[in-house]
Amino acid sequence: VGHLLTSLWPGGIEQFVLSLATGLPKDGFQTRIYSWMGDDPWAEEFRSRGIPVFATHGPNRLRSPLDAFRLTKAWLQLAAQLKRDRIDILHTHDFFPALVGRTASRMAGVPARVTTLHNLYEWWPKWAFAANRLLAGQTTAITCVSESVRQFMLQHEGLAPERYTTILNGVDEDRFRPNMDARAEIRRELDIKDGEILIGSVGSITTRKAQWILAKAVAPLIASGIPVQVRIWGANGSNPQHAEQELMALVGQLGIGDRFRLLPPRRDIERVYNAMDIHCMTSVAEGLSLASVEAMMCGVVPVYSDIGPFREVVDATTGFLFKSEDPADLERTLRVALSRESLAGIALAARSAAVVRFGQTRMVAEYAKIYASCIK
C-alpha cells in the first residue's frame, strides 16, 4: 500500500497515515509513503519505523509555466516510483494528492486506488468537485472519516451513495489514557497553580481552527475573576491559512496575554492532554479531528463547536457543544461547565464513549478489509 500526501508535517492526516502504516498486520501488508511537495522533517517518524518515504518535490499550485513544468516532472517521477515499488493499492489523501496520484497510478499500472476525504471541503471551487466526480471512475474505494464528511460529499459531488464508505477516525486507546502523574508534571512545567483551571487546545493555528473565538470567550471569564489559564499547542507549518499573528494581536487587544499562550507541538501530547481540565476546540470546519478524540480518551472534558463532525463525537453525557462562530455562546457554555461541582463523571463518560467508537484497532481493521476487497 502506498500513501500519497501533500507533505509531511505534524498534522492529523500524517498521524492518520502513521496509525494505518504501523497498525496493519506485517505478514499481510507493506507500506510506502510518497510526499508530493517534499521530504519534510516528519518523514523521520515513518523512516524510524522502517517505512520508506519518497519525495517528488512537486508544486501544489500552478502560478507560472515553471510550476507546470515542475508538476509534470514530479508526476512522471511519482508514476515511475510507483511502478518500481510494485504498489498494489495507492491510497491518497486530500484533493491535490488525489488528483495527481490517481492519474499517475493509472499510468504506472497500479491495480487499485483508495482515496480518503478528511474534511468538510467548503473552500473547494466547483471545478474540484467536478474533477473528483471524473476521477471516481478510476477509484476503487472512497472513504470518509465521518458521516458528516460523507453527507457533505454526497451533496457536492453527486456520486451514488454506495460509492462512499464511512470509516470513523481512530486513536490509540492504550497511548491516550488518563495519567495523574503526567497531569502533575505538566502542570508544574507550565506553572499552573493549584486551583487554576487549564483550558487547553491542540491544533494548527489557522482560520479553520478559529482560536480567536476562544480568546474572545475567555476574556470575560478572566475579567470576572475566574482563574482560567489557556494554552494552545499548535503550529502553522506552511499552511496558507495560518492565523497566528492575527490571534496574538487579538489577545493583546483583550489584555489577556498573561493567561493565553501559544506553545509548539509536542511528541508527548498524550501527557499534555492530561494536564487539561477542559479541551476546547473552536473549529469552523473539520473532518473528524483526532485531537478531539485523543483528549476525551485521556479523560478530559470536551467543549467543542457544534459543527457536524463534533456532534458525532460529543453528546449531552460526554461533554458540551456551543454555537459555532459565537464567542458569547462559548463563554456561556464554559460558565456552565465550570459551575459543575465535579466534571469527573463527564470525563469518565467521555473516555468510555471515545474508546468504544473511535479506537484505532477498529479503524485499522476496517481499512484492512477495504484493502483486501480492492485486490481480489
Side-chain angles (χ1 to χ4, degrees):
V1 180
H3 288 272
L4 177 63
L5 299 88
T6 304
S7 59
L8 299 177
W9 64 290
I13 293 178
E14 290 78 8
Q15 186 59 55
F16 168 92
V17 173
L18 185 63
S19 296
L20 277 183
T22 56
L24 288 169
K26 298 299 184 291
D27 60 348
F29 297 91
Q30 293 182 359
T31 301
R32 281 167 172 73
I33 305 299
Y34 303 89
S35 176
W36 175 254
M37 290 184 65
D39 191 359
D40 303 305
W42 221 64
E44 188 56 33
E45 292 287 339
F46 292 94
R47 291 197 178 105
S48 66
R49 293 164 171 81
I51 302 168
V53 176
F54 176 81
T56 62
H57 302 284
N60 70 338
R61 287 179 177 81
L62 295 179
R63 300 187 182 94
S64 69
L66 178 60
D67 284 339
F69 171 77
R70 291 176 57 224
L71 186 147
T72 303
K73 180 181 177 182
W75 186 88
L76 291 170
Q77 287 176 333
L78 175 63
Q81 191 65 38
L82 292 173
K83 189 171 184 177
R84 279 193 294 270
D85 290 341
R86 301 176 65 187
I87 295 297
D88 295 300
I89 301 167
L90 183 67
H91 192 160
T92 59
H93 305 270
D94 271 351
F95 175 70
F96 207 82
L99 176 64
V100 296
R102 283 184 281 187
T103 52
S105 64
R106 281 295 296 268
M107 179 181 179
V110 174
R113 278 151 293 283
V114 175
T115 191
T116 294
L117 299 161
H118 289 269
N119 217 315
L120 303 181
Y121 297 103
E122 296 173 344
W123 59 93
W124 277 9
K126 289 183 178 179
W127 66 263
F129 295 107
N132 261 4
R133 282 196 297 272
L134 182 63
L135 289 169
Q138 305 178 14
T139 309
T140 317
I142 303 170
T143 65
C144 304
V145 300
S146 67
E147 184 59 24
S148 296
V149 170
R150 180 177 179 273
Q151 292 300 325
F152 179 88
M153 299 310 291
L154 277 171
Q155 294 173 17
H156 288 78
E157 282 188 349
L159 298 177
E162 60 269 19
R163 289 306 320 273
Y164 302 97
T165 300
T166 298
I167 300 180
L168 297 174
N169 272 348
V171 169
D172 186 343
E173 52 267 50
D174 293 322
R175 176 186 173 193
F176 293 93
R177 58 189 313 114
N179 184 334
M180 293 306 294
D181 290 338
R183 175 179 173 82
E185 290 170 9
I186 298 296
R187 286 174 74 93
R188 279 197 301 271
E189 178 185 323
L190 298 174
D191 196 26
I192 304 296
K193 298 177 176 58
D194 291 344
E196 289 187 320
I197 300 155
L198 178 57
I199 299 176
S201 189
V202 173
S204 56
I205 315 301
T206 60
T207 53
R208 287 203 296 273
K209 299 293 185 181
Q211 289 96 344
W212 66 269
I213 297 170
L214 179 56
K216 284 195 170 184
V218 299
L221 302 182
I222 293 169
S224 65
I226 297 177
V228 168
Q229 292 281 352
V230 177
R231 300 291 183 271
I232 300 177
W233 285 266
N236 290 323
S238 58
N239 196 311
Q241 295 195 355
H242 62 84
E244 182 174 339
Q245 286 187 334
E246 295 86 346
L247 176 60
M248 294 317 296
L250 175 62
V251 167
Q253 293 169 11
L254 295 170
I256 59 174
D258 60 331
R259 304 278 196 94
F260 193 110
R261 300 174 190 170
L262 305 186
L263 298 170
R266 294 178 56 145
R267 293 178 184 272
D268 62 342
I269 197 65
E270 69 278 8
R271 295 170 60 79
V272 168
Y273 288 123
N274 273 280
M276 301 176 190
D277 298 293
I278 288 173
H279 184 236
C280 185
M281 296 196 71
T282 51
S283 307
V284 297
E286 289 281 358
L288 198 153
S289 162
L290 293 176
S292 70
V293 177
E294 291 169 353
M296 292 171 67
M297 283 195 177
C298 290
V300 183
V301 174
V303 177
Y304 300 156
S305 58
D306 66 352
I307 59 175
F310 286 149
R311 289 197 297 271
E312 295 185 51
V313 175
V314 174
D315 61 26
T317 66
T318 59
F320 302 86
L321 295 171
F322 69 92
K323 187 177 179 181
S324 179
E325 300 186 70
D326 189 340
D329 196 54
L330 174 54
E331 177 197 347
R332 180 196 64 78
T333 304
L334 288 170
R335 288 185 184 275
V336 170
L338 295 174
S339 68
R340 297 288 182 94
E341 286 189 13
S342 173
L343 293 175
I346 294 176
L348 181 62
R351 159 77 184 171
S352 299
V355 168
V356 170
R357 296 195 63 222
F358 303 105
Q360 179 175 295
T361 303
R362 182 267 319 156
M363 180 191 76
V364 171
E366 291 186 35
Y367 274 101
K369 186 176 179 180
I370 287 282
Y371 293 157
S373 70
C374 288
I375 56 176
K376 284 182 178 179

